[in-house]
Amino acid sequence: EYRRPGANPKTHRLGILGHDIAHSRSPRIHRAPFDRIDLPSNVDLAPLLTALRPHYVGFAVTSPFKQAVAQAIFAPREAVNTLVRTADGWSGFNADVEGAKAVFDVLRAREVTVLGDGGVADALREAAGSDVTLRFVRRDDAETVSGTAIYTWPASIDMPNKLRFVDARVAIIAY
């Protein structure tokens, strides 16, 4: 098992927090020394993060916990995908924002339909600023989509039955 030189294995660990993370890209992106912590989707995160803090210096956060973790640590943003231990708690960051900015640079669209409203959608909101108008579509409301769209639902979730693309250009956020 890999450990950073000089790191105390009891207090300097790294982990991935998620639900059904085997279907996520995170385990392939974040290899050793990341511990995989696969949690029930309804876990109470605040006490869990408090209990894990003495043992971990950071976490990659994946679906469906990006928004819930942000709330649990009182982050100034709506979703986080990275946690770093601080002297008195956790700091949360969202590396998805840079990726979202890159998507908008490639799409060059002023209006974009976002399919999904989870943690990646929060990164898209932050990256869009006032330059791009976003329209969010939840799974139950997904029907015909045209124009420029960004598909944010994980591969582990089936595409909505009624969803159809007509004259659409679609970017897919894969995770």
Side-chain angles (χ1 to χ4, degrees), residues 3-164:
R3 294 281 178 215
R4 288 184 316 280
N8 180 335
K10 293 183 179 179
T11 59
H12 286 82
R13 298 172 72 145
L14 299 169
I16 300 172
L17 293 177
H19 171 72
D20 201 16
I21 60 175
H23 291 95
S24 171
R25 291 179 54 101
S26 290
R28 292 185 299 268
I29 294 168
H30 304 291
R31 297 189 185 276
F34 282 80
D35 295 334
R36 276 80 171 133
I37 302 176
D38 207 326
L39 302 166
S41 60
N42 62 349
V43 69
D44 188 358
L45 289 166
L48 176 66
L49 291 172
T50 298
L52 293 174
R53 192 175 153 277
H55 309 286
Y56 285 86
V57 293
F59 288 102
V61 180
T62 190
S63 180
F65 298 124
K66 294 176 183 181
Q67 292 169 323
V69 165
Q71 291 173 352
I73 66 164
F74 303 101
R77 55 180 15 118
E78 297 203 19
V80 299
N81 67 358
T82 305
L83 287 177
V84 176
R85 183 175 67 193
T86 64
D88 59 352
W90 295 101
S91 285
F93 305 91
N94 193 336
D96 290 342
V97 174
E98 291 305 313
K101 288 177 183 176
V103 169
F104 290 131
D105 287 346
V106 169
L107 293 176
R108 299 186 190 278
R110 303 281 300 148
E111 296 181 2
V112 176
T113 299
V114 178
L115 301 170
D117 199 13
V120 172
D122 290 321
L124 291 167
R125 276 187 195 90
E126 191 172 330
S130 60
D131 296 335
V132 181
T133 301
L134 301 177
R135 180 176 73 94
F136 292 88
V137 177
R138 294 183 181 268
R139 290 186 55 71
D140 294 342
D141 301 327
E143 292 189 3
T144 301
V145 174
S146 59
T148 302
I150 300 174
Y151 189 103
T152 71
W153 294 307
S156 60
I157 296 176
D158 291 334
M159 188 168 89
N161 289 331
K162 296 188 275 181
L163 179 60
R164 301 289 178 265

